[in-house]
Amino acid sequence: MKQLLMLFLCILSIGCSGLIPYKDQNLDYLQNIEKDPTAYRGQVVSFGGEVKGITEDALRLRLVLQIDAPLYYYATGKGGAVAYELILVTFNKRGMPSMTGIKKGNEIKVLARVSSYETRKNFTGKDIAVLHLLAFALSDHTRHKDFFRPETPERALYESWKEGRLFFEESAQEVIDRCPKPTLPELAPQIRAAMETAPAEEHLPEKGIVFDEEEPPFLVAPEQ
């Protein structure tokens, strides 16, 4: 009986988003970020939910995501307080000009870095705090289609997330550490030599009024 109860609670804790592949984090984690957003800036996170608003052009997608609330939140009394947390998500589409086709009402998951925590006004004029994420991977589960940045280590993070390893078997930092570090391009010998023998910086003239000797002086008549 105890095992059945534990299984039931586990299913409830998964809620409506956890049954879909690709690990996401819950509202408890979101509340931890809210308590100290500066400490989480730049960290890799993942959230899933329903698109409540979206704007998109050829370069950028911005959306408002309503985070999924596990069913057990309602049993513990948390549902009414945190079931409708909203976050802002920005996805830079440079290099992929086609439209994603993501629409309001779609169920998606985002893999992103924490950017900032902003205060905005809702439709009633009340100030609300909103977490802003910079996404580098989106998974539209309504249409079973993914979008991700191809750079390193973003693509490696997405692949680990897609395969179910990220946040389970390995951390984001472990994935990043495996990726080759970018190297600066080697300067051509003639450019390097020119930089090494560059003349010393010329002394700039002292600040002040400089008159052009080829022009007549500008005189102001004294006051009478």
Side-chain angles (χ1 to χ4, degrees), residues 24 31 36 50 65 68 78 82 88 92 102 107 109 128 136 138 146 156 165 183 192 213 215 217 221:
D24 63 339
Q31 286 186 315
D36 190 5
E50 180 183 345
L65 187 67
D68 289 331
K78 295 182 180 179
V82 295
L88 294 174
N92 189 333
I102 296 175
E107 289 287 337
K109 291 184 185 294
I128 57 173
F136 54 88
L138 302 173
D146 291 358
R165 299 196 312 270
T183 56
R192 186 168 58 251
E213 296 179 355
E215 294 183 1

Side-chain angles (χ1 to χ4, degrees), residues 4-197:
L4 290 175
L5 179 60
M6 291 296 293
L7 178 61
F8 178 69
L9 290 176
C10 181
I11 293 174
L12 288 182
S13 67
I14 290 173
C16 49
S17 69
L19 294 174
I20 305 174
Y22 309 2
K23 167 73 173 176
D24 63 339
Q25 290 151 329
N26 60 23
L27 287 172
D28 289 331
Y29 194 76
L30 178 60
Q31 286 186 315
N32 290 335
I33 299 176
E34 291 175 351
K35 292 175 183 177
D36 190 5
T38 303
Y40 287 83
R41 181 167 296 176
Q43 291 197 18
V44 177
V45 297
S46 174
F47 289 102
E50 180 183 345
V51 177
K52 289 298 183 180
I54 184 169
T55 59
E56 182 178 10
D57 57 29
L59 299 177
R60 188 175 65 170
L61 177 147
R62 286 175 63 87
L63 57 85
V64 177
L65 187 67
Q66 178 179 308
I67 302 300
D68 289 331
L71 296 180
Y72 78 85
Y73 269 57
Y74 297 95
T76 58
K78 295 182 180 179
V82 295
Y84 302 103
E85 293 283 358
L86 302 176
I87 58 177
L88 294 174
V89 179
T90 299
F91 181 58
N92 189 333
K93 295 167 37 180
R94 67 181 186 277
M96 50 176 80
S98 60
M99 305 296 278
T100 64
I102 296 175
K103 297 180 180 179
K104 185 177 179 180
N106 285 21
E107 289 287 337
I108 73 166
K109 291 184 185 294
V110 300
L111 185 62
R113 287 186 172 87
V114 176
S115 174
S116 59
Y117 207 68
E118 305 174 8
T119 301
R120 294 173 175 244
K121 293 188 180 295
N122 62 9
F123 64 95
T124 64
K126 181 181 177 180
D127 287 336
I128 57 173
V130 182
L131 180 65
H132 182 204
L133 303 180
L134 298 179
F136 54 88
L138 302 173
S139 181
D140 184 351
H141 287 281
T142 300
R143 298 184 303 127
H144 306 288
K145 194 170 184 180
D146 291 358
F147 307 89
F148 58 91
R149 298 297 316 163
E151 299 88 2
T152 300
E154 283 77 11
R155 177 158 186 166
L157 288 165
Y158 161 74
E159 290 174 348
S160 176
W161 183 57
K162 180 178 179 180
E163 295 168 3
R165 299 196 312 270
L166 189 61
F167 308 122
F168 278 114
E169 302 176 12
E170 57 188 5
S171 67
Q173 191 58 51
E174 288 174 330
V175 176
I176 294 172
D177 290 342
R178 284 202 312 267
C179 295
K181 302 297 183 291
T183 56
L184 297 175
E186 183 68 21
L187 295 176
Q190 58 270 28
I191 297 179
R192 186 168 58 251
M195 293 177 63
E196 293 173 353
T197 58

